[in-house]
Amino acid sequence: MASEQDDVNLRLIEDLTPRLRELIVVERVLDHLDFIKNDVREKIRQKAKTEGDLSAVDLLIASITKKPHSPGWFSAFVDALSNTGLIHAAECIQLNQKPEEEAENEYCVKLIQILSPSLVEMKTVDVCLKCFSSGLLNQDDKELIEAAIQNHGSRSGARELLRAIVRGHSRWFSTFLSVLRDTGHQHLYELTGGSSDCDNKGCDEKMCSFKDEPTGSDVTMESQAEADGSGSIEFMETSTTENPQDEDLYAAGGQSSESRLQSNSMELSQPAGTDSEAATRGPETAHIVLRDYQKDVAGPALEGENIIICLPTGSGKTRVAVYITKTHLDSRRAEKRPGKVVVLVNKVPLVEQHYSSEFLPFLKPTYKVERVSGDCQHKISFTEIVKRNDVIICTAQILENYLERSNSEEDEGVNLSDLSLIVIDECHHTQKGEVYNHIMMRYLKQKHKNFRLKKELKEQVPLPQILGLTASPGVGEATTMEQAKEHILRICANLDAVNIMSKSIGEFRKDQRTKIVTVEDRKQDPFGDVIKNIMNAIHVHADLSPNCDLGSQNYEQWIIQKERTAATEEDHKVRVCAEHLRQYSEGLNLSNTIRMHDSLSFLNKYQEDALKKKATPEDEESIQITDSERFLFSLFRENKEELQRLAKMPQYENDSLSKLRSNILQEFSSRDTARGIIFTKTRRSALALTQWIQENPKFADIGVKASYIIGGGDQSVVKPMTSAEQKDVLNKFGKGDVNLLIATSVAEEGLDIPECNIVIQYGQLTNEIAMIQARGRGRAKDSSYILIEVKGSAVSEKECVNEFRINMMNKAIDKIRAMIREDYNKKIEDLQYQSIMEEMVRMKKKRQSEIKNESPSDVQFNCRGCSQPVCTGEDVQVIENVHRVNVTAEFKELFNQTENASLQERLLDYETKGFISCKRCGQKWGSMMFYKGIDCPCLHVKNFVVTVSGKKITKCTKWKDLAVKFSPFDYAENARRLMLDDEYL
């Protein structure tokens, strides 16, 4: 009997989950649910902290409803909701509300949402106290609102208050009206449905001139609720400006606060319609309002043409794409044809950004929208996600992987013919070698096959419409106008675009001051001289003769090539010396860019880590140290004391930081509200600059609050940022908790960063595309773009070159747009055939390579550090077509394992436990992966010298460079082997 009741309760909770997402505050409820295990509790808390209550509620409910059930689990859940003030949620799952009462409550919530721009102007402190005494708020709500008022002001507190009151008793509305009247908000009281002669008891009846109106599509209401990805009840954040035209281009598609309020009210008064009726109503349903220049560039795409939209950063390209997507789906639905849109991005954080900030708010009520990236943990395949949804936002590599599966005739694949529109963000990356181009090559091949099928009177394969978005296609390696034009035409050809749509945004462009700050060269640099002396001593030891300045970009490229060649030729002396020289070159750059102290810390950390590799974790046996390594360690040790002494002498610091300090102080002191970004070259310099700012009291005195944002890849020794960490920093930047970002190039392109009025390039060399992207971050009125040229950076010269290239690019675009249509089409066709032929040649070479290397036994892996033979390809197995592992007993004897606490646990079938490295020389070989209960040493090919059929592969840094088909991982066989191993059991 109890089991049957549990099943009923389970179905009830499943049905009510969408409503519970809006009403539950996870952190509060968790404290009252003792039957949830501590480790699960912490996971839920962490998810709420990083992704918000919307995502965490699903995990909470899954934990509550997980079988076997604890006795009284359902009652405990109801009590937890009631005891934390979430009365409305408790009433929902107890079915204590009549349908008409629930409907009335929904109307009240919608009314509050519509009127939130006016309601946030309330005297929040007074209203909060009155709501608390009236029972609308509990102690937790009150403390949360008071904290918001203290940290962010009265308006922020008002929004928290409005969110909180609708989570309490379902019969809250009349009490809230009474509170407004009693606290002197007569105009708000009347605005929300009350009247001057209305008493408290009659308020519920009086307000429903609104209630009696039939509701239409909830596009705007849900879009506001989900715009920030929270999915909970969300109230509009508005600001009052004297000049509406000064509002940011993104603000509600160009609408003012007043027009947004009017349009929302109008929508609620429209009659409801069917899906087909919603489709025929067109873009107005979602209230996507475009400016004139946005409508102009969207024109051909709305007619079904393939185009590239080229508009500056901050001009609303993504909003135009949403408009085109919705119009496309509406028209397909009206014609009773299937519509399927894939939005491709080149960075994981952009998936969530486009999903929650753009596509979901405007499309979700009518269309199913989903996002997929490497960070997602969907329980179904990408193929199923494509089938079940109308709009899919994903990284380009995911689509390419599933297109390849289909090409290989695997079950779980996707065809281009399954899609009706592909939106390609940052489409200037559609060039040779890029994943965008791999996808478009499939498209172009099928397009030209269709020409043949048409001539043969056979059925053609349908292809999707293509929409490219970019702020700058760039000019590539062009030095002349004709070459620049050729570069852009090639991108147009790769995207099969009938035109590149560009428009001057004229009066909407923000004025931006540009300032170049030149740093004088240091008269004395004894710290740098010591590093150079060390580098020259290494040159002599390894018989190396550089022909460029130490620490320069040319030197870095030269030494990388030397290290690569030495590894291939098994020249251990040159290889290890080149590796140390790279670090000293970086140290030299740090001393010229940041502080000598930061440079020394970096070099010291590198030396310590290099020494640690030469010792096993248990010190059971010593690892071989070569004469060259002994020389290198001794060389640093001999000079370390002198470097420490010089690092403490401020008179020898570079002048770059003082210039940066004065410009930050000037810009932040001269503005009422300052918000800025500093772009720097490396992750290490981003962290060091952030620390420098946080430690300087002068910055704190004028309200500078700094944080850094860096990339998520692991190609650097600096710990990467996760998507959640990046999102957290950007959220703080948007709210004002952080007002100065120190960023690497990750922030230049794509990421939705709130408008800034200060952009500083700090010793950062860029091309014309990155320059346009960086400048575009200064979207606010009267913004500044400052270049600080640190020693050896040649920033000002590069910026002058970029200005020339930008002008050349703009003229080239104008020339392309002015081309006679027949000439343009002929050029595009020629370039497409050229690309197809180049692809065919490349694929032929690849097939030849695969035939030559078809046997894994031909492949030999040697340690990159000491050249000892490690294993052959026969020992390598592949997990999930991604991870190359060696689980042989012989291999286990060759490496040491090192735990790494900083590695994040992955909640999938596997997790990374630490690193593996050569027992003989300490060279890192890869990582230890725990896969479904089995320890699997995972190899990173860049750490080995690879030989195929006796011939060394000179460049093999990724597994895709090694076209060999290794055996798939046999889980059952390996599990059986381990179970027979008494030691393992």
Side-chain angles (χ1 to χ4, degrees):
M1 191 70 182
S3 176
E4 292 179 4
Q5 186 58 47
D6 281 347
D7 290 340
V8 172
N9 291 335
L10 272 176
R11 287 194 295 272
L12 176 63
I13 290 177
E14 287 174 1
D15 292 340
L16 292 173
T17 293
R19 188 73 182 117
L20 294 175
R21 285 197 192 104
E22 299 178 357
L23 298 172
I24 290 179
V25 181
V26 170
E27 187 68 30
R28 297 185 196 173
V29 177
L30 267 179
D31 293 335
H32 294 261
L33 295 174
D34 297 332
F35 59 84
I36 296 181
K37 294 181 180 178
N38 288 335
D39 58 336
V40 177
R41 190 190 304 270
E42 286 308 310
K43 287 178 183 178
I44 298 171
R45 280 204 172 94
Q46 188 61 32
K47 197 170 190 69
K49 188 181 298 182
T50 57
E51 300 180 30
D53 275 338
L54 176 65
S55 298
V57 165
D58 289 337
L59 189 56
L60 173 70
I61 290 176
S63 303
I64 291 170
T65 57
K66 184 178 180 180
K67 294 182 179 180
H69 295 131
S70 302
W73 66 275
F74 185 75
S75 298
F77 184 32
V78 173
D79 291 343
L81 294 174
S82 301
N83 294 335
T84 54
L86 303 174
I87 309 299
H88 194 173
E91 290 177 343
C92 278
I93 64 172
Q94 293 179 97
L95 301 178
N96 287 346
Q97 257 189 318
K98 297 177 181 178
E100 57 270 22
E101 290 176 344
E102 181 66 23
E104 182 175 316
N105 182 71
E106 289 298 315
Y107 286 123
C108 295
V109 171
K110 287 181 179 179
L111 179 60
I112 294 299
Q113 289 175 323
I114 293 172
L115 299 176
S116 62
S118 299
L119 290 171
V120 295
E121 303 296 340
M122 70 175 76
K123 301 172 186 174
T124 311
V125 173
D126 295 344
V127 175
C128 177
L129 290 173
K130 190 68 176 176
C131 286
F132 178 67
S133 63
S134 302
L136 284 181
L137 302 174
N138 63 14
Q139 185 64 35
D140 287 334
D141 293 326
K142 180 172 173 287
E143 290 175 1
L144 182 65
I145 295 163
E146 288 172 345
I149 294 171
Q150 183 176 352
N151 295 329
H152 306 295
S154 176
R155 292 162 62 85
S156 180
R159 293 186 191 95
E160 289 294 343
L161 186 149
L162 294 174
R163 292 186 189 99
I165 60 173
V166 301
R167 291 195 297 254
H169 292 277
S170 57
R171 294 163 291 281
W172 54 272
F173 187 76
S174 59
T175 306
F176 182 57
L177 288 184
S178 178
V179 168
L180 290 178
R181 184 176 59 181
D182 293 346
T183 53
H185 297 82
Q186 188 67 26
H187 64 295
L188 295 178
Y189 165 70
E190 294 174 0
L191 187 66
T192 48
S195 63
S196 56
D197 59 350
C198 171
D199 62 13
N200 185 39
K201 295 179 181 178
C203 286
D204 279 340
E205 298 172 4
K206 294 283 186 181
M207 59 80 60
C208 283
S209 58
F210 168 78
K211 180 181 78 173
D212 294 335
E213 292 290 333
T215 59
S217 169
D218 290 336
V219 172
T220 305
M221 302 312 305
E222 291 196 27
S223 70
Q224 290 158 0
E226 295 166 341
D228 67 339
S230 68
S232 60
I233 300 164
E234 191 63 43
F235 297 94
M236 292 182 290
E237 185 159 345
T238 61
S239 58
T240 304
T241 57
E242 294 181 6
N243 300 308
Q245 65 269 25
D246 290 339
E247 292 187 351
D248 182 66
L249 299 181
Y250 282 131
Q255 289 177 292
S256 66
S257 302
E258 184 178 355
S259 65
R260 288 202 301 273
L261 178 60
Q262 290 172 349
S263 65
N264 289 340
S265 302
M266 288 171 60
E267 175 170 328
L268 284 170
S269 65
Q270 291 173 353
T274 64
D275 284 345
S276 60
E277 290 170 342
T280 58
R281 284 201 298 272
E284 291 77 15
T285 302
H287 292 290
I288 306 175
V289 180
L290 300 185
R291 296 184 183 275
D292 289 341
Y293 71 85
Q294 293 171 322
K295 292 177 183 176
D296 289 343
V297 298
L302 297 175
E303 300 297 322
E305 300 278 12
N306 294 353
I307 63 168
I308 297 172
I309 292 178
C310 180
L311 290 175
T313 302
S315 57
K317 293 185 295 298
T318 312
R319 184 62 51 83
V320 177
V322 177
Y323 184 91
I324 292 169
T325 297
K326 187 174 189 308
T327 304
H328 172 86
L329 291 172
D330 287 347
S331 62
R332 302 276 294 198
R333 182 174 286 183
E335 296 167 5
K336 301 191 183 310
R337 292 193 297 159
K340 190 80 64 178
V341 181
V342 168
V343 182
L344 300 180
V345 298
N346 62 332
K347 294 179 182 177
V348 171
L350 294 179
V351 174
E352 182 63 35
Q353 175 183 301
H354 284 347
Y355 172 78
S356 60
S357 299
E358 294 289 345
F359 286 88
L360 184 71
F362 291 97
L363 301 178
K364 177 66 182 291
T366 309
Y367 300 105
K368 295 178 181 178
V369 184
E370 187 54 274
R371 79 287 205 195
V372 186
S373 73
D375 280 0
C376 297
Q377 298 177 20
H378 291 288
K379 302 301 182 185
I380 59 175
S381 71
F382 181 71
T383 306
E384 273 307 304
I385 291 172
V386 171
K387 289 178 181 177
R388 296 183 184 188
N389 294 279
D390 302 301
V391 180
I392 303 94
I393 304 164
C394 66
T395 47
Q397 190 61 55
I398 288 176
L399 177 61
E400 167 64 10
N401 291 345
Y402 279 81
L403 290 172
E404 179 59 33
R405 287 191 182 192
S406 178
N407 187 55
S408 304
E409 298 184 351
E410 294 186 33
D411 294 336
E412 295 277 321
V414 174
N415 295 304
L416 285 175
S417 56
D418 298 331
L419 313 175
S420 59
L421 171 65
I422 299 178
V423 179
I424 302 181
D425 191 36
E426 309 296 348
C427 69
H428 53 270
H429 292 295
T430 313
Q431 301 185 54
K432 191 183 299 183
E434 301 273 3
V435 64
Y436 283 163
N437 206 45
H438 296 328
I439 293 170
M440 286 308 303
M441 284 309 302
R442 299 177 187 277
Y443 175 100
L444 294 178
K445 287 178 182 178
Q446 188 59 56
K447 173 189 172 183
H448 290 281
K449 283 182 184 176
N450 281 349
F451 289 157
R452 187 180 71 243
L453 293 172
K454 184 177 181 181
K455 288 180 180 179
E456 296 171 356
L457 300 179
K458 295 180 180 178
E459 185 179 358
Q460 300 174 50
V461 176
L463 287 171
Q465 180 184 350
I466 305 296
L467 172 64
L469 308 175
T470 182
S472 166
V475 295
E477 301 298 322
T479 56
T480 66
M481 179 63 67
E482 200 57 38
Q483 290 173 340
K485 184 178 169 185
E486 182 84 4
H487 172 83
I488 298 171
L489 279 169
R490 186 172 287 277
I491 294 176
C492 292
N494 290 344
L495 289 162
D496 197 35
V498 301
N499 210 337
I500 179 168
M501 303 299 294
S502 182
K503 194 80 173 176
S504 171
I505 62 175
E507 68 272 20
F508 301 114
R509 189 186 295 277
K510 307 290 191 294
D511 294 330
Q512 192 177 67
R513 299 192 306 272
T514 299
K515 178 181 176 183
I516 298 178
V517 179
T518 302
V519 178
E520 297 296 328
D521 201 357
R522 280 188 282 204
K523 296 177 181 177
Q524 289 183 295
D525 183 15
F527 184 90
D529 291 340
V530 173
I531 294 179
K532 289 177 181 178
N533 290 337
I534 295 173
M535 295 172 76
N536 285 326
I538 299 174
H539 293 150
V540 173
H541 177 79
D543 197 21
L544 295 171
S545 301
N547 56 2
C548 45
D549 293 336
L550 303 187
S552 66
Q553 192 168 4
N554 288 337
Y555 179 85
E556 188 174 341
Q557 292 170 350
W558 174 80
I559 203 63
I560 288 172
Q561 185 58 47
K562 286 292 181 185
E563 193 275 338
R564 185 176 295 159
T565 303
T568 303
E569 296 176 354
E570 298 184 11
D571 188 338
H572 307 303
K573 177 192 283 188
V574 173
R575 186 198 63 78
V576 72
C577 287
E579 185 180 316
H580 279 248
L581 284 169
R582 281 184 65 186
Q583 309 309 315
Y584 282 116
S585 181
E586 176 66 16
L588 203 56
N589 280 321
L590 280 173
S591 73
N592 289 330
T593 308
I594 321 294
R595 297 170 293 186
M596 295 183 290
H597 162 74
D598 299 308
S599 174
L600 179 58
S601 296
F602 158 68
L603 291 174
N604 196 51
K605 178 73 164 55
Y606 171 74
Q607 293 288 328
E608 289 176 354
D609 290 346
L611 277 169
K612 283 180 182 177
K613 288 199 305 184
K614 298 301 173 182
T616 58
E618 298 83 10
D619 289 329
E620 292 177 354
E621 53 185 303
S622 60
I623 294 175
Q624 178 183 341
I625 299 180
T626 65
D627 291 339
S628 289
E629 289 171 333
R630 192 172 289 107
F631 164 78
L632 292 165
F633 292 139
S634 299
L635 188 60
F636 179 76
R637 200 162 45 242
E638 291 165 3
N639 289 275
K640 181 177 177 180
E641 189 175 331
E642 179 66 6
L643 289 171
Q644 288 174 330
R645 185 183 69 83
L646 293 169
K648 297 175 182 177
M649 304 177 74
Q651 65 267 33
Y652 296 131
E653 288 287 9
N654 69 75
D655 195 36
S656 305
L657 284 180
S658 63
K659 297 289 187 185
L660 179 62
R661 181 193 297 112
S662 60
N663 277 277
I664 294 174
L665 293 174
Q666 179 183 345
E667 293 290 338
F668 272 77
S669 301
S670 61
R671 301 175 186 274
D672 293 334
T673 302
R675 179 178 284 161
I677 300 181
I678 300 174
F679 287 105
T680 186
K681 182 180 178 182
T682 65
R683 295 179 179 184
R684 193 173 291 104
S685 60
L687 271 62
L689 276 174
T690 304
Q691 184 180 0
W692 170 70
I693 292 171
Q694 291 173 345
E695 291 174 355
N696 195 318
K698 289 186 178 180
F699 293 125
D701 291 343
I702 60 170
V704 176
K705 294 167 286 186
S707 185
Y708 65 86
I709 181 167
I710 59 176
D714 61 356
Q715 70 274 19
S716 169
V717 293
V718 177
K719 182 179 179 293
M721 290 186 86
T722 65
S723 298
E725 288 170 335
Q726 289 177 342
K727 184 178 179 181
D728 181 55
V729 171
L730 292 178
N731 285 340
K732 290 178 180 178
F733 192 60
K735 293 188 293 185
D737 297 340
V738 170
N739 56 18
L740 182 61
L741 283 181
I742 294 86
T744 55
S745 58
V746 69
E748 286 176 347
E749 184 178 286
L751 289 184
D752 186 14
I753 295 176
E755 63 178 31
C756 302
N757 46 26
I758 307 162
V759 177
I760 300 176
Q761 286 278 15
Y762 185 65
Q764 165 86 323
L765 275 173
T766 61
N767 59 23
E768 74 279 4
I769 295 176
M771 180 177 172
I772 290 173
Q773 300 279 7
R775 280 186 170 178
R777 295 301 169 198
R779 300 176 189 170
K781 185 180 179 182
D782 192 30
S783 62
S784 298
Y785 181 69
I786 302 170
L787 307 171
I788 298 181
E789 182 181 10
V790 303
K791 180 184 175 184
S793 66
V795 167
S796 58
E797 289 88 345
K798 183 64 175 176
E799 290 288 320
C800 289
V801 171
N802 286 341
E803 289 283 3
F804 169 76
R805 292 165 73 82
I806 290 171
N807 290 333
M808 187 163 62
M809 179 191 74
N810 291 332
K811 290 177 181 178
I813 291 174
D814 290 340
K815 286 181 177 292
I816 290 171
R817 287 176 54 77
M819 287 177 71
I820 297 171
R821 177 50 49 187
E822 290 77 9
D823 293 343
Y824 176 87
N825 291 341
K826 179 65 168 61
K827 182 66 177 177
I828 293 298
E829 186 177 21
D830 289 346
L831 288 171
Q832 288 179 349
Y833 277 120
Q834 181 182 334
S835 294
I836 292 172
M837 291 304 296
E838 289 173 352
E839 175 74 0
M840 289 173 64
V841 171
R842 187 184 71 82
M843 292 302 295
K844 184 177 180 180
K845 287 181 178 179
K846 183 179 179 182
R847 283 194 297 270
Q848 289 173 345
S849 176
E850 288 174 350
I851 292 171
K852 178 182 177 182
N853 303 323
E854 62 181 2
S855 175
S857 60
D858 291 338
V859 183
Q860 174 68 44
F861 296 92
N862 290 357
C863 175
R864 195 175 186 85
C866 63
S867 298
Q868 74 158 318
V870 175
C871 64
T872 69
E874 287 183 316
D875 302 322
V876 177
Q877 298 180 2
V878 187
I879 296 177
E880 297 179 354
N881 292 323
V882 176
H883 308 285
R884 274 73 173 178
V885 301
N886 185 342
V887 294
T888 62
E890 294 81 5
F891 181 70
K892 186 177 180 182
E893 300 299 318
L894 299 178
F895 66 82
N896 294 318
Q897 181 177 343
T898 307
E899 297 295 330
N900 188 341
S902 67
L903 288 174
Q904 298 290 316
E905 181 181 358
R906 299 291 299 271
L907 302 177
L908 299 169
D909 288 332
Y910 59 87
E911 63 183 68
T912 304
K913 297 175 64 177
F915 300 118
I916 60 172
S917 57
C918 176
K919 271 189 179 180
R920 184 173 171 187
C921 70
Q923 168 70 43
K924 188 185 294 183
W925 285 352
S927 54
M928 180 61 76
M929 192 171 75
F930 192 64
Y931 177 69
K932 295 182 179 179
I934 300 178
D935 283 333
C936 299
C938 185
L939 309 183
H940 298 177
V941 72
K942 65 182 179 181
N943 297 319
F944 299 91
V945 174
V946 183
T947 305
V948 179
S949 298
K951 182 179 178 181
K952 291 175 182 174
I953 306 298
T954 56
K955 185 180 179 183
C956 193
T957 58
K958 298 177 181 177
W959 282 109
K960 70 179 182 180
D961 298 329
L962 188 61
V964 175
K965 190 172 183 180
F966 298 108
S967 301
F969 183 80
D970 190 336
Y971 179 82
E973 177 60 29
N974 282 285
R976 188 181 301 111
R977 175 178 57 81
L978 287 174
M979 291 182 71
L980 295 174
D981 188 342
D982 293 337
E983 182 180 341
Y984 186 85
L985 294 174

